[in-house]
């Protein structure tokens, strides 16, 4: 009972609580699914639908519950409904203050999960008994289903990366950097032995050995993608195995396998924004194996996995330091104290002495991320005292709380059943949250891998503790105002609540295919540029070195020697650039290189390609003794040009534009009237009944900058678009193309 009063008054109170809770439920559902359209996990911003479902939708449950007023046991039914749904009343302040805020997403999932836990506590017991009584089939098929889920996860991850690679979305950093390192390790008479210990400025000898072996077997980009997915989604079968070792049923094991498959952090690790691969993903199977051996009581297995994990990345030392603190908090002095001291010394040895020498740097390479707190790990540790103002301002960045909530949400209720093991990830999370840049504090990057893996393991172990009748105060807190329920019922209720939070977190924060706040289609333009890449490769002579811009370099990596496009050029080099990828290739560096080759007779234009408003150019560095003069654009007199087609109003006096159309074909022409000191892009907007089609071309297809051409030179290109109603065209000055730099 909610209030000690008359039956009539109690009924009215319970009815009111139930009605207002249902209205809050529908209001939360409307805001989550209809009002908030997308979420940005870098800036933690949300984007709203222009035409959400009507506000009257929230009053629908009032009409749905009215018939129950005339049914038997209405007092009991509304009392139970009020007990289950009363946490949803917190939606009212949440909707009032944060309806258009990122924090609405995780906090609403907590409220949904809380109500689901209370409902599960009330209903799971009878349902479980009925299930056990009426079950007519065996659960022996579940391990095979888990295997199928693992294969499905790997195939989805590989498919995602292959599509992103073909669309030229993935960068050379990080996955190309590692692939290049693995290829170099395979070269006869290659790098020194210590390069097997570190790639990408990290300590990762185990990953180097495994990945180099895989590349040796099949030296293609797809090998990286398959290995990456294999270790990420190893969480699926290992979560099932850990569940069984913790004493859970096959059904619960299947549940946690699905939860691992839908973990938002893991779903992003294939693309890792656009970096494509990181060795820390190998921590996923190793950490889960550690806890699996821990449940089985195998000290040998735990020791082997512990040793191997130290070879994945130097930050694993920080994780095990935190785990040592957890053991000390449990008064396990004989294990915790040596582990804490060993890992603390090991990390400072790796970061302060070994890695700087291997990477040929003065300090630990990752210290750049902590530039405002210190230049060494010791200075960062002492920053609360030496740089208190900077430390606390970074510590309380609101993005830290958004990041931690996003990590916690999938297994929020399971974790807090016995949260002491969270101490293991506190030092690791501190290292992430103390980075000044808020953009890196996101589940789309690899920084949450170890934490998410521990949360998955801890969720499984805590449900096992509940099922074994180990005491926890958290269920009683969640079920305040309700009677006590047996452990098995609470375990099932935990799974029900976790099912809500896992599905909700995947919908709000995961990398999904079609539905969700963060879909693959919204992440990058899914186009296949394989034919274009093959054409560009066919123009590169065997044995040539390819100097390339960021997104293009990985496509030449396995067939040619490569380097960044800004390095010094040598004879027989081939220069390949994308002139419109300003986000990844610094525009001032691109224009500096272009100006350097525009008047160099050794640089011969090979080809230019336009695709999806991206401009690709290829040049060959010829022998100066045999180099022939490069061709230029055709020329015409001003009078002859002005007699062609329809004029385009042009505000830049250095250029004149015209176009000719025949059916759906449009020929655009721009003539240089006076040689400018800069280069331009030509922008054309074609307005059609079905929308506006943009078309962007670099002048002279990027091979011949405008500042390198004589007056009268004509640049032309065709566009085939039917039913054009209006045309807007102009030349746009390319930043930094005047040679003055920043």
């Amino acid at each position: 009972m909610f209030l000690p009063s008359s039956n009539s008054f109690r009924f009215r109170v319970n009815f009111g609580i139930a009605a207002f809770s249902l209205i809050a439920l529908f209001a939360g559902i409307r805001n989550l699914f209809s009002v908030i359209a997308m979420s940005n996990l870098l800036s933690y911003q949300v984007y709203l639908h222009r035409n959400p479902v009507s506000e009257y939708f929230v009053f629908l449950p009032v009409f749905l519950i009215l018939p129950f007023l005339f049914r038997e046991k209405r007092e009991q039914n509304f009392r139970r409904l009020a007990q289950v749904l009363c946490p949803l009343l917190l939606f009212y302040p949440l909707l009032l203050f944060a309806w258009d805020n990122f924090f609405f997403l995780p906090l609403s999932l907590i409220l949904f999960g809380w109500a689901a836990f209370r409902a599960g506590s009330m209903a799971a017991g009878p349902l479980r008994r009925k299930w056990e009584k009426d079950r007519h089939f065996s659960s022996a098929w579940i391990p095979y289903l888990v295997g199928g889920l693992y294969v499905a996860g790997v195939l989805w991850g590989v498919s995602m990366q292959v599509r992103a690679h073909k669309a030229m979305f993935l960068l050379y950093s990080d996955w190309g950097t590692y692939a290049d390192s693995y290829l170099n390790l395979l070269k006869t008479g290659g790098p020194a032995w210590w390069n097997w210990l570190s790639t990408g400025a990290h300590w990762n000898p185990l990953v180097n050995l495994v990945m180099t072996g895989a590349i040796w077997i099949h030296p293609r980009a797809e090998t990286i993608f398959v290995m990456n997915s294999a270790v990420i989604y190893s969480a699926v079968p290992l979560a099932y195995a850990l569940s069984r070792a913790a004493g859970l049923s096959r059904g619960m094991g299947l549940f946690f396998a699905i939860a691992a498959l839908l973990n938002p952090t893991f779903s992003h690790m294939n693309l890792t924004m656009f970096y494509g691969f990181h060795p820390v993903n190998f921590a996923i199977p190793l950490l889960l194996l550690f806890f699996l051996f821990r449940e089985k009581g195998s000290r040998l297995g735990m020791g082997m996995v512990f040793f191997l994990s130290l070879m994945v990345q130097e930050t694993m030392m920080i994780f095990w330091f935190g785990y040592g603190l957890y053991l000390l908090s449990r008064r396990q002095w004989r294990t915790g104290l040596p582990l804490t001291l060993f890992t603390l010394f090991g990390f400072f040895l790796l970061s302060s002495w070994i890695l700087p020498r291997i990477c040929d740097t003065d300090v630990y390479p990752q210290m750049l991320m902590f530039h405002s707190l210190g230049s060494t790990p010791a200075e960062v540790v002492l920053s609360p005292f030496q740089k208190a103002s900077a430390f606390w301002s970074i510590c309380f960045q609101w993005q830290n709380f958004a990041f931690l909530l996003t990590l916690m949400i999938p297994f929020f209720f399971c974790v807090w059943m016995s949260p002491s093991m969270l101490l293991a990830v506190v030092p690791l999370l501190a290292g992430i949250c103390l980075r000044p840049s808020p953009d890196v504090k996101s589940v789309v990057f690899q920084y949450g891998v170890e934490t998410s893996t521990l949360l998955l393991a801890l969720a499984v172990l805590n449900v096992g503790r509940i099922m074994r009748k180990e005491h926890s105060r958290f269920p009683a807190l969640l079920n305040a105002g309700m009677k006590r329920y047996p452990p098995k019922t609470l375990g099932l209720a935990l799974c029900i609540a976790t099912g809500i939070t896992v599905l909700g977190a995947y919908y709000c924060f995961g990398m999904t295919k079609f539905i969700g706040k963060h879909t693959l289609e919204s992440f990058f333009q899914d186009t296949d540029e394989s034919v274009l890449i093959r054409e560009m490769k066919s123009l590169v002579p065997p044995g040539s070195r390819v100097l390339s811009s960021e997104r293009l370099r990985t496509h030449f990596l396995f067939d040619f020697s490569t380097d960044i496009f800004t390095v010094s050029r040598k004879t027989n080099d081939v220069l390949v650039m994308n002139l419109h990828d300003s986000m990844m290739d610094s525009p001032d560096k691109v224009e500096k290189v272009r100006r350097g080759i525009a008047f160099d007779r050794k640089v011969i234009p090979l080809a230019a390609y336009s695709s999806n408003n991206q401009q690709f150019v290829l040049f060959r560095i010829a022998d100066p003794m045999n180099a022939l003069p490069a061709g230029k654009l055709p020329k015409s007199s001003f009078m002859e040009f002005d007699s062609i087609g329809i004029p385009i109003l042009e505000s830049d006096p250095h250029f004149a534009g015209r176009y000719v159309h025949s059916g759906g074909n449009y020929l655009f022409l721009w003539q240089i009237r006076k040689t400018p000191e800069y280069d331009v892009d030509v922008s054309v907007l074609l307005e059609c009944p079905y929308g506006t089609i943009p078309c962007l071309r670099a002048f002279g297809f990027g091979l011949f900058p405008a500042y390198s051409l004589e007056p009268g030179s004509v640049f032309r290109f065709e566009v085939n678009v039917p039913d054009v109603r209006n045309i807007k065209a102009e030349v746009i000055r390319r930043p930094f193309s005047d040679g003055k730099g920043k």
Side-chain angles (χ1 to χ4, degrees), residues 48-194:
L48 308 181
H49 275 296
R50 292 183 178 179
N51 299 302
V53 172
S54 171
E55 293 89 344
Y56 295 110
F57 170 79
V58 304
F59 297 107
L60 180 62
V62 175
F63 300 99
L64 295 178
I65 65 172
L66 286 178
F68 290 90
L69 289 172
F70 307 100
R71 299 186 63 176
E72 295 182 0
K73 299 182 180 180
R74 64 175 188 173
E75 292 85 357
Q76 179 182 350
N77 291 335
F78 279 107
R79 176 173 57 83
R80 289 181 174 179
L81 193 61
Q83 286 179 329
V84 166
L85 298 181
C86 62
L88 299 177
L89 293 173
L90 293 174
F91 264 118
Y92 289 106
L94 184 60
L95 287 165
L96 181 63
F97 296 107
W99 69 274
D100 60 348
N101 188 287
F102 177 85
F103 285 97
F104 176 85
L105 299 176
L107 294 177
S108 67
L109 295 180
I110 291 175
L111 295 182
F112 287 136
W114 188 359
F117 180 82
R118 293 171 71 92
S121 299
M122 187 175 290
L127 291 176
R128 177 177 59 84
R129 289 190 291 271
K130 180 176 176 57
W131 168 264
E132 292 175 348
K133 180 180 178 181
D134 299 337
R135 186 174 60 183
H136 300 295
F137 58 89
S138 171
S139 60
W141 53 270
I142 288 181
Y144 300 100
L145 179 57
V146 171
L149 291 174
Y150 172 63
V151 173
V154 172
L155 292 176
W156 161 241
V158 172
S159 170
M160 196 187 329
Q161 286 193 267
V162 168
R163 289 168 60 189
H165 185 48
K166 289 181 177 180
M168 298 189 190
F169 179 73
L170 297 181
L171 304 186
Y172 175 77
S173 305
D174 284 338
W175 85 272
T177 303
Y178 288 110
D180 208 356
S181 299
Y182 303 145
L183 290 169
N184 287 332
L185 289 173
L186 288 172
K187 290 180 180 178
T188 304
W193 63 268
W194 54 80

Side-chain angles (χ1 to χ4, degrees), residues 282-336:
F282 277 72
I284 296 173
L286 291 174
L287 288 179
L288 290 174
L289 280 171
F290 175 83
F291 289 107
L292 177 61
F293 286 125
R294 180 176 176 265
E295 285 300 296
K296 290 180 176 291
S298 173
R299 292 183 176 272
L300 177 61
M302 292 168 64
M304 290 177 59
V305 171
F306 168 73
F307 172 76
L308 291 175
S309 70
L310 297 181
M311 304 295 113
V312 169
Q313 189 165 287
E314 70 280 1
T315 54
M316 289 303 295
M317 290 281 188
I318 301 177
F319 173 85
W320 291 117
F321 170 74
Y323 190 77
L325 295 179
Y326 158 72
L327 294 178
L328 291 176
S329 72
R330 307 276 294 181
R331 299 187 178 183
Q332 298 181 24
W333 313 108
R334 295 177 59 183
T335 308

